Amino acid sequence: MAPNGVEWTILVLSCQHKDSIYAFQKELELRQKRGTIGAGTLLLTVEDPKAHVGSGGATLNALLVAAEHLSAKAGYTVVSSDVLQNAHILILHMGRDFPFDDCGRAFTCLPVEDPSATVEAPVCNLDSLLLTMTYKLGPGSPPGVWVCSTDMILSIPSAPDISWEGFHGAKVISVMGSMSYARNHGVYLTDHQGFVCDIIYQGSESEIQSCAKDDGRVPLVSGIVFFSLDTVERLLATHATPPLDACTYMGLDSGAQPVQLSLFFDILMCMARGVNEEDFLSRKVSEVVDNRTTVRVRNSRMVLWRELRDLPLIIAYVPNGCYNYMTMSADDHIYNLTCQAAVPDGLMFCKVAHSHVTHPHFLEDGCSVTNSLLEGEISIGPRSVVQHCNLQGPIQLASGCLLTGLDMMSSLSLHGHQLSDVIIQGHSVKLRDISLTVYTVLGSHDDLKGPSEVITTGTYLNRPWAEFFQRTGIREGDIWGPEIPPHKRCLMNARLFPIFHPLVALGVEDVLWFLKSEDSKKCELLKQWHSSWRMSWEELLMHLDQEASLALRRALFFRQAQKKVQKVLLERRDCSLLMLIKTAVHEGYYEPLLATLDQVASVAEDPGIAARALACIADVLGCMAKGEGGLRSGPAANQEWSLPFQHLENGDIIQGVNKLAEERGKWLSRPSLLVRAARHYEGAEQILIRQAVMSAFQFVTVGQVELPPIGHWVVAECPARIDISGGWSDTPPITYEHGGAVVNIAVLVDGQRPIGARVRRIAELELRLVIASGSPGREVVTEVVCQSIEDMWDYCQPHAPGALLKAAFICSQIISYPSETLLHAQLMDQFGGGFELHTWSNLPHGSGLGTSSILAGAVMAALYRIAGKSCSTESLIHAVLHLEQVLTTGGGWQDQVGGLIPGIKIGRSMAHLPLKVEVEELVVPEGFIQTLNEHLLLVYTGKTRLARNLLQDVLRNWYARLPAIVQNADALVSNAEECACAFSQGDLLKLGECLNRYWQQKKNMAPGCEPLAVRHIMDTLQPYVYGQSLAGAGGGGFLYVLTKQPKQKEILQRVLANTQAVGKYHMYSVEVDMGGISVRLLGSDL
């Protein structure tokens, strides 16, 4: 659960039917797994002791059960109110059955998505209310009990200012509404101090007017109340007092007769200041509608008056809130699911929410589709709703329709119908051990409970009953038996809907004929209807299989989710699948998801798509490990995975993916194996990334020049580079999936080009490799001699001595490897001798100045020339990209662009394959280069960066398409373009702003790239600079600063020298290099 929310001690969900308890308990537990409910919260789903004990009885029973569980947990053998002292309890009431959603109002799905969610799942009204209670209303409240109805859609725009200082009693939460809306609802009458004086239900115009505030609105009874601990203790004490004991399971188990109580018009009403005892005891309220005696109700109220009367009832207003009661009107329900104004604050209205629609252009504005699969031409008009359906077109829905629970086969029966203002539902029903699907049809304007004279004034399918009887041949006596007197007949108790037929399977067509039927089929349909066992709405609601309904909804969600996965990956959408992956793992649907990802990876036309699919599989495996089994980053070279890796290396993606899946099946038994399998899938992903980047090799063009004599040196020298903006956007796969733009500068460090290579041909048939690194006089020198082709085997192991140089010999095609031709034979046949190659870098390891890639460029340039070949700088940039994939280090293109091309430039790559880099050298105002030289400084921080660890995390987050990462990639590219403009204008201040923005973007991309010591240096230098950033990926290495004043090296050195805890630093002068790579052919003496 996110911070700043209430950690509920117990969450109690009360429901009418015992058959629903298991299903709803499972729903709560799923939300706890998702993190919506805190891990430490005790979850209880409680059956109301009797179907109609009322909201007050349900509250008292839920409170008793919660106290009983807390008491048992604390070691008590009896219920003790002491366990409530530090408890934060939330009671949610499911309320009565709801004809428009088989799982009740609480589990009615809303046409929204939650942008703050950590998992992807349909959002129910229950979820919305949980967010409201946990993060808006609950925070700040003292220990006590919150009670919340789930029969309304509630929007609270921000955390209201509720005072809790010295509070005791009860506090009702009220959303303000219009007087016209209040005519059919409850309102509070309050005094100027905020005390509730009366609660009025469906009052007269004058009564409602008396409740109005200055703005003409009235405080609505909004279904939420908080009880302080002392109030809870008193209320709890009544559970053993007759006749209130009959509201709890204990009383009923002891033989007491049930009594119905209202939370608002019984329990809270006795606390209202303006209500006297006799008025309270004799007052009638709408919820007391059964045959219980007035004496029992009066005695119950007497107990409540005695226990609670002296406690205050206070109101808390939510002036900007929105309250929509979920009535029994279909029109109202459709309004709630199509009107954006009804969407709870913090959630995002979506016309298509958690659904797959093949033809979205057929959906008109003002409709909504939730948790559904719509395939083919399905047109939906305004004010129409589709939920939990799998439909196959062509289907036409005009306005005012609601479709729920229809599968593909039933949807075929809708073909040819022009549907308007009609509600068609498929219901999961259980009759003892028999599970059935029952279909109902209703008009959106019908009144379910209807007037007392239903036949003369009521409607069915929006038309008078007489018209329905005439059209269908059905008679009044067919649907209402003599046991239901005429004055009690209504649509709810009309036995209209076929449940079972002894000879034929029933389907939606067995109610669709109510809408229209051909005369030739009318008699046959009527006969089949007569011979079917039928139920009314009332009977049907009593036999709903809510567990089956929820399971079907969940299965449908994951079916549309599989379609979403395919669409997102194959269409290269910047949409995160990580939340969906988490949901699939939490709810046990990972196997179909893995199969879908396997299929996408197999059919993908380019390795980039396949690589992302494999990265998603790695995320699935990582989630299955549930945070155990070790770190995600780690080795991925176990021999058990070598066969699938080999297939991928050979370009056989289909076979590689199949073999990966086979091997994966052996690694699912425990977290440590799952994590290791995830690492190997990331290793497989890296193979495909390398193949995608190798597409850049087609932009390498090599010409022929004269072969230098044996013994003559070719020397290539390069400047370093500093990246000014856009870095990370050049990194594969970001660079070819999103597109990249990087501004950087070729620089001399202390007046020197710090990176270089020299090579000459020698008579000996061998390769002599000499690698020097470190500052002159303190460099570390490594020598490697290759005398056989077998000595080249470790060219693709980056940490092996001389691996970069070996890979360069192979990529420049001087050496063919693997090859059956011996090394000395290759050297003799093509060059008449071997080669001696020296490389150097005078910069510290991990400098962040692009050393390795620039060195690769220098080596390739020198090797091409010594081999009698010519290569443009543009070709050299792409040759280095290819080399680094062969070497398996990966990496982007900005380093070689920065060090091989002179001056200030911006490199760009488009979001497609093959990967091509285009460079624009920036023209700056005259004299600006000198100005820049006087304002740029390098500070070596003394911290060695760990770029590879950073890279693994960035790629994982990118493949997950976390929204923050995608937005940051956009920002990197736009900042690079803005930075290029700043250079063209010669604007140091604007450059500094770009630089500071860039450093923040680097930190967003790779959290942890700013060591504390570096932060201390940056804070110290902040007053003296326009902007600053660590070079490269960050984490250490060089810091470059753009000073406000020119020539600040000595001043800043003194500033740092006088500052504690900055560590071992060293400051370098830096200047723009206007030459770029230099390749010279020299004599034999050096």
Side-chain angles (χ1 to χ4, degrees), residues 114-305:
D114 182 1
S116 65
T118 57
V119 295
E120 183 171 334
V123 179
C124 301
N125 190 38
L126 177 81
D127 300 308
S128 171
L129 291 170
L130 274 174
L131 289 171
T132 296
M133 298 305 303
T134 304
Y135 296 103
K136 294 182 179 179
L137 295 178
S141 63
V145 176
W146 283 94
V147 181
C148 178
S149 171
T150 62
D151 58 7
M152 74 290 190
I153 298 175
L154 186 66
S155 179
I156 305 294
S158 59
D161 184 17
I162 301 176
S163 174
W164 296 104
E165 185 177 355
F167 170 77
H168 79 115
K171 189 185 291 282
V172 292
I173 305 300
S174 177
V175 170
M176 306 301 290
S178 66
M179 285 191 283
S180 60
Y181 188 85
R183 292 192 187 106
N184 294 313
H185 298 279
V187 294
Y188 294 112
L189 176 65
T190 62
D191 62 19
H192 67 282
Q193 294 178 297
F195 290 97
V196 175
C197 299
D198 201 352
I199 307 174
I200 300 168
Y201 180 68
Q202 293 184 337
S204 65
E205 187 170 344
S206 60
E207 287 176 320
I208 295 173
Q209 180 70 46
S210 68
C211 300
K213 300 302 174 185
D214 293 342
D215 61 359
R217 296 188 300 166
V218 294
L220 299 174
V221 175
S222 305
I224 300 175
V225 60
F226 176 79
F227 294 103
S228 66
L229 281 179
D230 57 337
T231 308
V232 172
E233 290 177 2
R234 293 200 203 180
L235 187 58
L236 185 60
T238 67
H239 85 273
T241 306
L244 286 178
D245 61 338
C247 291
T248 70
Y249 83 93
M250 280 189 175
L252 293 177
D253 287 354
S254 301
Q257 292 299 309
V259 62
Q260 183 176 5
L261 288 179
S262 165
L263 172 61
F264 290 91
F265 298 102
D266 288 312
I267 294 178
L268 293 180
M269 183 72 81
C270 71
M271 302 167 67
R273 280 192 169 188
V275 177
N276 62 50
E277 183 175 6
E278 185 54 36
D279 181 35
F280 171 64
L281 295 178
S282 60
R283 182 181 294 202
K284 291 184 179 181
V285 294
S286 59
E287 289 196 24
V288 182
V289 294
D290 54 26
N291 295 324
R292 293 179 175 82
T293 65
T294 303
V295 173
R296 288 181 56 77
V297 175
R298 183 182 179 91
N299 289 342
S300 298
R301 290 178 172 177
M302 288 176 64
V303 175
L304 292 172
W305 184 273

Side-chain angles (χ1 to χ4, degrees), residues 51 132 299 464 486 529 655 669 685 706 725 951 961 963 1040 1079:
T132 296
N299 289 342
W529 183 85
Q655 192 66 9
S669 60
E685 151 212 319
E706 183 180 356
S725 59
L951 177 62
R961 288 304 195 278
Y1040 49 91
V1079 181

Side-chain angles (χ1 to χ4, degrees), residues 1037-1057:
F1038 275 97
L1039 170 72
Y1040 49 91
V1041 300
L1042 185 66
T1043 63
K1044 294 177 179 178
Q1045 300 298 322
K1047 301 178 181 179
Q1048 293 290 291
K1049 181 178 179 181
E1050 292 182 1
I1051 294 174
L1052 296 189
Q1053 280 180 323
R1054 287 197 297 270
V1055 169
L1056 290 177

